[in-house]
């Protein structure tokens, strides 16, 4: 499907199951999911509480492995990796955004954004340069020396987004990113996601808010561990050449 134009998919789930417990107490949290997400897509995942969204996100984020089935992240079969390799691929290929920001307390915005690059072995000077550029991109250049306590919720989430994109991951994975924000901050975050998507980035966003989903190019609904609907709103454009080059070098 479009493989010539867009290259290998970022996410490729085939026959994925995740069960908890056994016997009468067994829970089929993810119950046979096939899902392909192409580079440059912007996908919203919706569904009632208990429908399996978080379990699926944990699998996509390499925080958990399927009980059965195959998951290729940017061409790599995650099942074949040990724990250390999984955390490495997670750090290299995925930027996470959480409902409660998960910033390090009493630490400046700049340090929070520099942190993931420390793990990646980037030099101090280069870390600073890239972190400042990412904070500028999210509109926080004047606040780089502020700690989390000195920032509003919306500003903290923008720091978290800067932290998520600073390593140039192939996938931005967000779990209820606007769940703790007021409507003004929500709009700011959605604007940022729109810009990142327009720049060719790949986004998967869990949300129960229709407004958030309406910004996506594709809306997937989950029910009882299965995908109950998969609706495309906007076609996936070919990534701009610069991004294609960058992601090619990183892999
Ligand atoms: P959602 O994020 O859509 O609310 P979840 O993925 O958290 O759904 O949960 C899907 C189902 O799996 C639910 O029935 C939940 O109770 C169950 N579940 C999730 N995690 C566990 C776990 N660690 N142990 C047992 N059951 C679990
Ligand atoms: Mg959940």
């Amino acid at each position: 499907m479009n493989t010539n134009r867009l290259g290998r998919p970022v996410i490729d789930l085939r026959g994925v199951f995740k069960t908890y417990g056994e016997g009468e107490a067994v829970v089929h949290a993810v119950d046979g999911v096939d899902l392909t997400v192409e580079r440059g897509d912007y996908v919203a995942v919706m569904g009632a509480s208990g429908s399996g969204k978080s379990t699926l996100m944990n699998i996509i984020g390499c925080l958990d492995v399927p009980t059965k089935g195959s998951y290729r992240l940017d061409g790599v079969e995650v099942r074949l990796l040990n724990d250390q390799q999984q955390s490495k691929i997670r750090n290299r290929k995925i930027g996470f955004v959480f409902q409660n920001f998960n910033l390090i307390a009493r630490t400046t915005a700049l340090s929070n954004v520099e942190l993931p690059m420390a793990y990646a072995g980037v030099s101090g000077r280069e870390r600073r340069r890239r972190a400042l550029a990412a904070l500028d991109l999210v509109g926080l250049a004047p606040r780089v020396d502020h700690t989390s306590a000195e920032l509003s919720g919306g500003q903290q989430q923008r720091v978290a987004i800067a932290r998520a994109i600073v390593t140039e991951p192939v996938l931005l994975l967000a779990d209820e990113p606007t769940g703790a924000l007021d409507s003004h901050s929500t709009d700011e975050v959605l604007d940022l996601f729109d810009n990142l998507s327009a720049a060719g980035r790949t986004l998967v966003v869990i949300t129960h808010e229709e407004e958030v989903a309406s910004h996506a190019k594709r809306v997937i609904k989950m029910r009882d561990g299965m995908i109950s609907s998969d609706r495309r709103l906007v076609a996936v454009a070919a990534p701009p050449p610069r991004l294609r080059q960058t992601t090619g070098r990183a892999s």
Side-chain angles (χ1 to χ4, degrees):
M1 189 176 76
N2 286 336
T3 41
N4 288 335
R5 188 166 59 89
L6 296 165
R8 63 171 176 251
V10 173
I11 295 170
D12 192 13
L13 296 161
R14 297 286 170 87
V16 165
F17 293 79
K18 182 75 187 183
T19 53
Y20 294 108
E22 30 186 86
E24 300 212 334
V26 72
V27 176
H28 301 278
V30 172
D31 202 18
V33 164
D34 296 302
L35 175 64
T36 304
V37 175
E38 304 291 345
R39 202 168 292 270
D41 211 348
Y42 179 179
V43 181
V45 179
M46 303 191 76
S49 176
S51 61
K53 303 183 298 296
S54 293
T55 305
L56 189 68
M57 295 311 277
N58 288 343
I59 290 170
I60 291 171
C62 303
L63 297 161
D64 203 352
V65 284
T67 309
K68 196 170 100 185
S70 156
Y71 172 34
R72 284 174 182 271
L73 168 60
D74 199 27
V76 178
E77 178 60 71
V78 175
R79 187 166 36 89
L80 303 177
L81 307 178
N82 62 32
D83 286 355
Q84 195 189 349
Q85 290 167 324
Q86 270 180 40
S87 61
K88 196 169 162 194
I89 198 177
R90 187 163 63 228
N91 291 337
R92 267 185 51 194
K93 294 196 183 281
I94 305 177
F96 290 93
V97 176
F98 302 96
Q99 178 167 354
N100 294 314
F101 327 132
N102 290 16
L103 299 179
I104 297 175
R106 292 182 293 277
T107 302
T108 64
L110 184 61
S111 299
N112 267 285
V113 178
E114 283 183 341
L115 195 63
M117 291 181 287
Y119 300 134
V122 180
S123 77
R125 201 186 141 102
E126 180 66 7
R127 283 209 292 268
R128 175 154 296 231
R129 191 188 68 75
R130 286 200 216 166
L132 288 170
L135 283 161
D136 188 36
L137 193 79
V138 301
L140 286 177
R143 300 265 193 297
V144 298
D145 291 323
H146 290 227
T147 64
S148 306
E150 298 165 343
L151 298 169
S152 71
Q155 288 168 338
Q156 289 182 62
Q157 193 61 303
R158 285 191 278 148
V159 173
I161 292 167
R163 179 184 58 184
I165 61 176
V166 76
T167 53
E168 306 242 332
V170 292
L171 174 64
L172 188 69
L173 192 55
D175 195 351
E176 295 284 3
T178 62
L181 302 181
D182 61 28
S183 63
H184 174 70
S185 301
T186 293
D187 288 345
E188 285 179 349
V189 164
L190 293 177
D191 276 353
L192 267 178
F193 284 177
D194 286 349
N195 293 343
L196 292 169
S197 179
R201 300 211 164 268
T202 310
L203 292 87
V204 173
V205 178
I206 286 193
T207 184
H208 64 271
E209 295 173 63
E210 291 288 349
E211 193 210 339
V212 176
S214 73
H215 283 249
K217 294 177 176 175
R218 176 182 179 191
V219 179
I220 287 169
K221 291 201 172 144
M222 288 196 72
R223 188 174 170 176
D224 299 334
M226 290 176 265
I227 292 176
S228 60
S229 87
D230 185 348
R231 200 160 46 95
R232 174 151 305 281
L233 310 179
V234 180
V236 186
R242 193 189 59 78
L243 192 71
R244 203 155 39 202
Q245 216 176 47
T246 309
T247 48
R249 199 175 48 218
S251 50

